[in-house]
Amino acid sequence: MRDLEDKFENEVILRAERIRDSQPKVDLPSRPPPKLHIHKQCCSHQAEDSCSSSSDSSDEDDDDNDDDEWIEELNKKKKHPFRLHEELWYNDPGEMNAGPLCRCSIKSKKTGIRHNKYPGEEAISACDPESNNSNKLYHYKISMSPPTNFLTKCPSIIDYDNHEYIFEGYSLFSHSKLENIPVCKVIRFNIEYSIQIVEQELLQNFTVRSLDLFCKFLFTEILELVDIDWKGPGDSEHCNRYHLMPRFARSLPENGKEILSMNEVLNYLLRSSKPMVDETMLKQVQDYDANDWQNIVDDVRGMVVTYPGMKPCSLRIDQLDRSHGEDFEDDGSVYPLIIHFGIRPAQLSYAGDPNYQKLWKQFVKFKHLLNSKPKILFTDKQKLQQKEDQLNELRLKNTMKREVTVEISAKGFVRTGIKSDITQHTMLIPVLLDHLRFHNALTKLEKDIQYNFQDRGLLQLALTHTSYKVKYGTNTDHARNSLSNCGMRQLEYGDRKIHFQHTRKRGINILINIMSRMGNKEEMLSEIPHNERLEFLGDAVVEFISSVHLFFMFPWLEEGGLTSYRTALVQNQHLAVLAKNLHLDEYMLYAHGPDLCHESDLKHAMANCFEALMGALFLDGGIEVTDRIFSNTLFGDSDELLQTWKEIPLHPLQEDEPNGDRHWIESSPALQKLLKFEEITGIQFDHIRLLARAFTVRSVGYNNLTLGHNQRLEFLGDTVLQLVASEYLFKHFPDHHEGHLSLLRSSLVNNRTQSIVSDDLGMSDHIIHAETRGESIDMKTKEKADLLEAFIGGLYVDKGLTYCRVFCHVCFFPRLQDFIKNQVWNDPKSQLQQCCLTLRDLDGGEPDIPIYKMIESIGPTNTRRYKVAVYFKGERLATGTGHSIQQAEMAAAHNSLKERSELFPILAHQKRFLERKYKSIENQRR
């Protein structure tokens, strides 16, 4: 075996190194120092649409500079003296087609998953190269699904012992046991692939050296994936973190399977390593009849051949042409032409052309605005057609086409025995390796927080920034070049919508579409691939934990003081510090670009990541686990503070009567009155004085029955309601992004909804108030809402979170269906602004938005009414009145939508869309 390995290394792997060493040194122009990127503050979400149009002109100069840079880089690559063909692109370490892979600072390059720095990763001691190291390695079969674009009509086959062994994928050998690894998912060719590892009994028919030689040959020499990090922090004396073995298999009876040994695989590759066309056979090949020549073509079609020392060195054969050959020999024979159908890099085709991109954006924007116009003129249609014609003209230019045909002489090429099906499998391996290394790093994070996730996918999701996308697991341009040069020619593509169906969230039509969805009766996982939803839930979790601790720790502190303390704990600046304590910046997955280069952006992302982590912990382990980890992160460096924070005392009313206080009922008419409310709700309090305190308004002085009023319980109840509502919406509305969930939650827990629930339960009839105010009280909406929140706070103190969940499931969540149907989440001011944005001018520029002006105020201060007019493009739309300016503006917006609906065709479109959708839902139910 050792002799075979030596021969393979010398004849196949070192062959290319020897040729490169013999070539003259290539001196390419030096690269200028990188330019300093000036950070630009991003617009708020509310103003994104308006900012984008105004910033177009300012971005054009920067785009022109970037264009000049990558054109210069591409020209450098074109001038390489050993370039195989002008339409074939090659890979250099640390380089993309258009410049350096990483432009980060030296400091930034020292940390971060994007720089291949995985926390807790250590160098691995070298294995015995001439052994299978069965006492050290764990064996896993790599399974990829669906099989689309992996199965070919002519797969890679090795004939051995009168049997055919067909390539079916890879086995992976790990130095540590791979446990709790979620499925690795990646979108390729508009299809979502799932990569799983299944543990199997260790194979015996290999040596570690044979595996490493095969990987070096395929990954480095043939596919030129030179940026894959095999050893992590190790060097040449250490072992690869993972070893890969190609599985050439044949089926056996009773579902058995035989895997060909590595010595036979290496023998096959050695036998296959011969000139593409033998020089001594050239004359004979020219004389072959059509059938013999077709047999030769069929034998090599789809095979990867290599030209050692050239850039790129390998390509796939799609056809052979002997009638238009080049490189004539002395005897008149000629080498046939290799025909290869490739794809240009995006930067050199219409997809990367700045003019095309600019025209495409203008076309899409113009088409969208036309759909929102009350009446489309003939001139508008002409302009749209003109823009479309310009796009088609650019697409059809020869210099802009993505598909190219390469014709190159077969002279100097060597067969490899590898076909494109092996390439297709191989190009997904780097994605899996990154996935495994990341989850190995998460083991350290779990150790640091002293909790092991049951669902590791939740932890991965919590650390995934919105900018991150799973791509190739290595240099993106390297992977694309290798796929174009050596991958399958005819691929099956899925629907392009898969790229944005779970990520796109901008636009009024998308907003209406998502917000019209009723949610699921059962809990469902979301397909949204980043941490915004977990951040939405985690925000409520952090606020809840902070509120509970503060509420019990400071029983004398009023609501305003509690709110101030809580604000200090949950503000982003402080959460970013907690995230830094956990080193979350070292685990975060985010795009390798300028997104988080600025310190303020990174801190904001870290704060969001910490909230998402708390949300993931809450879903995986419950509130107790989340509370423990949050507390340890908050005060982990001080045992005294941590102990004080964790030791939550009982409520004063519970301390007064540890075993319950229902015996007070006999002597208290106020408590006797509350028995009827307990009967209505079906909840019997252990400490009924907590219920009494929840119904005690502020005007009531200190008394022995309740020991105070209900404002502190109102503070607690508000955060309990926020948490329960957030949890329900997160689990039952999987298609909604963070903003959509926030809109639903605000409609569910606002003062109006709470006051309605309060009225339904007759809470006003059981209120405890000062005797001077009489028996009946005319309560405002806000007062009723506060009363309900106080009750929920008292319910939590007495019964815990489970009872609060049940209460909300009965009294709040059934109302969601009506809120969604009636678009309660969309207040009139927001809806009017959305409608106005659809009417922006077709020539671009700043969009017009509605402007509100107070035109009159009537009455004394305590009963004053305001009158507000709303204007759009200088025209008054309507007026509205209210007890506050905000109410008057809402009324004016509502009247505008009602009285001037002919100005906003989008309203009619939304109405028709919702009617069709809900009619379809009703028909399905029937």
Side-chain angles (χ1 to χ4, degrees), residues 871-885:
Y871 297 84
F872 178 61
K873 292 186 177 180
E875 178 186 355
R876 179 186 288 191
L877 299 180
T879 61
T881 58
H883 288 290
S884 66
I885 295 178

Side-chain angles (χ1 to χ4, degrees), residues 560-685:
L562 294 174
T563 302
S564 298
Y565 283 162
R566 182 179 66 190
T567 301
L569 287 173
V570 304
Q571 63 179 339
N572 276 353
Q573 186 176 358
H574 181 244
L575 295 182
V577 174
L578 299 184
K580 188 67 177 176
N581 292 343
L582 294 177
H583 304 285
L584 294 187
D585 54 322
E586 298 179 13
Y587 298 92
M588 281 173 53
L589 299 173
Y590 57 96
H592 200 156
D595 303 72
L596 304 180
C597 286
H598 197 267
E599 188 70 17
S600 62
D601 291 336
L602 180 60
K603 287 184 177 180
H604 182 73
M606 288 173 61
N608 293 341
C609 186
F610 181 81
E611 289 179 334
L613 176 61
M614 293 298 107
L617 286 166
F618 175 69
L619 292 173
D620 195 77
I623 195 64
E624 292 81 8
V625 169
T626 313
D627 186 9
R628 173 178 61 80
I629 295 173
F630 178 77
S631 302
N632 290 339
T633 309
L634 190 62
F635 295 116
D637 54 350
S638 172
D639 293 338
E640 183 179 357
L641 290 176
L642 180 61
Q643 193 65 24
T644 303
W645 177 264
K646 283 185 173 181
E647 289 181 353
I648 299 179
L650 294 173
H651 189 275
L653 290 174
Q654 293 173 317
E655 288 182 339
D656 192 32
E657 295 282 357
N659 297 320
D661 56 13
R662 296 190 67 83
H663 58 275
W664 283 57
I665 297 175
E666 296 180 5
S667 59
S668 173
L671 297 181
Q672 293 170 10
K673 186 179 179 181
L674 292 176
L675 290 176
K676 185 177 180 181
F677 180 79
E678 286 188 326
E679 184 179 344
I680 293 172
T681 58
I683 303 172
Q684 181 174 306
F685 276 67

Side-chain angles (χ1 to χ4, degrees), residues 191-206:
I191 298 171
E192 184 177 70
Y193 291 96
S194 297
I195 311 174
Q196 293 178 286
I197 54 173
V198 181
E199 187 171 9
Q200 293 186 344
E201 184 179 347
L202 186 70
L203 299 174
Q204 303 294 326
N205 52 359
F206 69 92

